[in-house]
Amino acid sequence: MTTTEPRPVDDALAPSIRVLMVCSSGGHLAQLMTLRPWWSQRDVCWVTFPTEDGKSLLAGQRAVYAYHPTTRNVKNLLRNTWLAVQVLRRERPDVIVTTGAGVALPFFVLGKLSRVPTVYIEVFDRIDHPTLTARLCRPFTSRMLVQWDEQQQLYSGSAVVGRLL
């Protein structure tokens, strides 16, 4: 494999990979926390918001705190884009995983440009229409995972992983 080829997403199964978990705090973080049996065996860095639940759930974990709010906030989008440049350069992840929300976009765009595989897990509470973040991140997503069979109709080529919560 040459250095210009993207790394296969299936490399994410190897225990020695570096994983960047990017998500909003609250339910997005709670859903990624349920994957502890998978991520606890890997070199993980988290990006989330410095909220009480974010700090509490990630106590003892390597974490970077992003700027919020992200909804319709161009200033924080630019700040999080610069943060993504810094984190991606420092962490050099093998895969970026998210459940959303807005904080994921700059990491997915820059991940795609850096040829880092990206995995988007659509949240469990959106069954009949895609989330805004999923629609924005989809062009930069290597593997789209959904939690309900019904969600598979919204995302061509997605795989059902089952409910995380």
Side-chain angles (χ1 to χ4, degrees):
M1 180 179 301
T2 67
T3 58
T4 59
E5 294 175 346
R7 291 171 279 181
V9 175
D10 291 334
D11 285 353
L13 301 177
S16 63
I17 65 153
R18 295 174 311 273
V19 180
L20 186 62
M21 303 284 261
V22 180
C23 63
S24 297
S25 53
H28 295 277
L29 176 58
Q31 289 178 66
L32 286 181
M33 293 303 290
T34 67
L35 299 175
R36 182 183 296 270
W38 177 79
W39 60 255
S40 67
Q41 303 300 311
R42 287 154 178 82
D43 181 9
V44 178
C45 179
W46 293 84
V47 176
T48 193
F49 302 138
T51 58
E52 289 304 315
D53 67 315
K55 290 178 178 179
S56 173
L57 288 171
L58 296 177
Q61 298 292 318
R62 208 164 71 250
V64 175
Y65 294 108
Y67 300 94
H68 68 98
T70 56
T71 305
R72 294 175 183 81
N73 190 313
V74 175
K75 179 182 177 184
N76 284 343
L77 174 63
L78 295 173
R79 293 166 82 188
N80 285 330
T81 300
W82 177 243
L83 180 68
V85 168
Q86 294 172 314
V87 170
L88 291 171
R89 186 177 294 146
R90 182 181 67 240
E91 295 296 327
R92 302 183 48 78
D94 295 305
V95 64
I96 302 168
V97 179
T98 194
T99 49
V103 68
L105 182 60
F107 287 88
F108 267 47
V109 171
L110 293 172
K112 175 84 169 186
L113 292 172
S114 301
R115 305 181 91 62
V116 176
T118 54
V119 178
Y120 194 101
I121 306 169
E122 181 63 293
V123 292
F124 77 94
D125 59 339
R126 287 294 187 87
I127 298 173
D128 56 354
H129 61 280
T131 58
L132 174 60
T133 306
R135 290 191 320 251
L136 294 171
C137 287
R138 185 67 166 136
F140 310 101
T141 301
S142 305
R143 181 159 298 160
M144 186 73 185
L145 305 177
V146 296
Q147 298 183 48
W148 299 96
D149 291 335
E150 294 85 352
Q151 290 174 313
Q152 215 171 10
Q153 298 171 18
L154 303 173
Y155 304 104
S156 168
S158 62
V160 178
V161 294
R163 285 183 40 202
L164 298 182
L165 288 179

